[in-house]
């Protein structure tokens, strides 16, 4: 499917309560629709680490501390005030206490696109008390949105900050995005690799594309490296394309990043 060229509109805002389990993992409640979303802004947090030497930047690394967010909505739902902000409701009256710890929540939402909406989830959010404001009514009724400031930090159990389902996402994952909080599937480890052909004879200057087969087919990490034990005879690039250089023999080896499994192809150049 083609990618979106543009994005517009905010829709399908949901929140889901986070439970921090005794083993350090997180679990999520069922996403709750949050009607009346007006705008959402997420500002990246984290300054780059810079080390200066030799009169310049010798080492530089970016940091990801999540986002600082602002959500404008028509109103804060009472359920969110109780479950996340810790307010108490008795006989229809909301009570706000100064000594209550707010709870973490996941924020789900989508941005419309020209192909298909992109759906997002920020996993580990903390909210501040919402801004309270209003103005007197004049000749024209003007609705005043409520602003909720929040932070979205890396999850403490796996460091993920957010996820998004693009137009190319698996359709089942995409369609269930607001039914439950999506989490990255467990990694599937590589158990082996095979290379074909296992041997070949080439003329000088000829090329051969090697084909790798990783087991299982749904392995999470399919990255591999190729090498030649005699580059004077045959070279190989990072995609497994062999080039015959001069007469002789060479062995091409492919190695999986996950597990270090290998297989070879014997090359004879005439």
């Amino acid at each position: 499917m083609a990618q979106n060229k543009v994005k517009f509109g905010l829709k399908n805002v949901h929140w889901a309560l986070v439970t921090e389990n005794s083993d350090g993992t997180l679990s999520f409640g069922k996403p709750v629709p949050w009607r009346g979303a007006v705008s959402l802004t997420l500002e990246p947090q984290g300054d780059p680490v810079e080390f200066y030497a030799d009169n310049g930047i010798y080492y530089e690394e970016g940091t990801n501390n999540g986002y600082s967010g602002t959500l404008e909505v028509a109103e804060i739902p009472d359920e969110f005030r109780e479950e996340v902000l810790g307010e108490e409701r008795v006989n229809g009256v909301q009570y706000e206490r100064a000594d209550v710890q707010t709870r973490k929540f996941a924020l789900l939402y989508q941005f419309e696109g020209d192909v298909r909406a992109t759906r997002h989830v920020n996993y580990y959010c903390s909210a501040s008390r919402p801004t309270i404001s209003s103005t007197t009514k004049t000749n024209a009724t003007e609705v005043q949105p409520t602003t909720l400031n929040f932070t979205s930090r890396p999850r403490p159990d796996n460091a993920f900050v957010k996820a998004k389902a693009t137009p190319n996402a698996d359709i089942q994952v995409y369609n269930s995005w607001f039914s439950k909080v999506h989490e990255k599937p467990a990694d599937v480890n590589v158990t082996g690799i095979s290379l074909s052909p296992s041997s070949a004879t080439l003329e000088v200057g000829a090329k051969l594309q090697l084909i790798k087969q990783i087991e299982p087919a749904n392995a999470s990490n399919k990255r591999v490296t190729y090498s030649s034990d005699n580059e004077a005879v045959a070279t190989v690039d990072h995609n497994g394309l062999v080039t015959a250089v001069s007469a002789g023999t060479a062995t091409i080896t492919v190695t999986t990043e996950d597990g270090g499994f290998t297989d070879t192809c014997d090359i004879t150049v005439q």
Side-chain angles (χ1 to χ4, degrees), residues 35-269:
R35 307 301 182 194
V38 177
S39 68
L40 173 66
T41 303
L42 292 168
E43 293 289 342
Q45 299 296 302
D47 296 325
V49 175
E50 295 179 345
F51 175 74
Y52 286 82
D54 299 331
N55 289 330
I57 296 179
Y58 188 77
Y59 173 79
E60 183 175 15
E61 180 179 338
T63 57
N64 186 343
N65 292 330
Y67 297 87
S68 175
T70 301
L71 177 64
E72 274 195 328
V73 292
E75 190 55 86
I76 306 293
D78 289 343
E79 186 177 358
F80 184 88
R81 289 182 177 275
E82 295 171 36
E83 296 292 335
V84 176
L85 301 180
E87 295 185 6
E88 298 179 23
R89 179 165 59 173
V90 180
N91 296 327
V93 179
Q94 298 277 146
Y95 297 91
E96 178 184 316
R97 295 175 58 95
D99 58 353
V100 169
Q101 287 278 70
T102 60
R103 296 184 64 181
K104 302 293 191 298
F105 65 98
L107 185 68
L108 302 87
Y109 51 94
Q110 77 178 37
F111 296 134
E112 299 299 308
D114 56 296
V115 175
R116 191 166 72 172
T118 302
R119 295 178 167 177
H120 301 252
V121 57
N122 289 65
Y123 287 112
Y124 197 64
C125 301
S126 301
S128 305
R129 286 176 298 155
T131 300
I132 301 174
S133 67
S134 189
T135 58
T136 188
K137 183 178 178 180
T138 59
N139 293 334
T141 301
E142 209 173 304
V143 177
Q144 301 294 317
T146 300
T147 300
L148 181 75
N149 294 313
F150 66 95
T151 58
S152 171
R153 298 302 184 207
R155 292 177 56 162
D157 56 350
N158 58 24
F160 287 122
V161 177
K162 69 184 299 292
K164 71 175 181 179
T166 68
N168 297 316
D170 179 88
I171 191 63
Q172 292 183 337
V173 172
Y174 186 87
N175 288 341
S176 64
W177 196 260
F178 299 110
S179 300
K180 61 179 181 179
V181 174
H182 171 78
E183 299 200 63
K184 182 178 181 290
D187 288 339
V188 177
N189 294 328
V190 173
T191 59
I193 188 171
S194 60
L195 201 59
S196 61
S198 59
S199 64
T201 299
L202 305 175
E203 299 289 336
V204 172
K207 295 182 183 293
L208 172 67
Q209 178 62 61
L210 299 177
I211 306 299
K212 69 179 186 296
Q213 174 94 28
I214 293 178
E215 296 295 337
N218 64 338
S220 301
N221 182 353
K222 295 186 177 182
R223 292 188 291 271
V224 300
T225 57
Y226 292 91
S227 61
S228 170
D229 71 344
N230 192 348
E231 293 191 343
V233 172
T235 61
V236 61
D237 68 10
H238 66 282
N239 291 317
L241 181 64
V242 177
T243 301
V245 178
S246 64
T249 60
T251 298
I252 306 300
T253 301
V254 63
T255 305
T256 65
E257 183 176 286
D258 178 12
F261 296 96
T262 64
D263 198 16
T264 59
C265 174
D266 296 322
I267 300 294
T268 300
V269 179

Side-chain angles (χ1 to χ4, degrees), residues 9-28:
L10 171 65
K11 190 178 179 181
N12 274 337
V13 174
H14 289 63
W15 64 273
L17 198 63
V18 171
T19 298
E20 304 191 43
N21 303 312
S22 58
D23 62 357
T25 60
L26 301 185
S27 56
F28 300 89

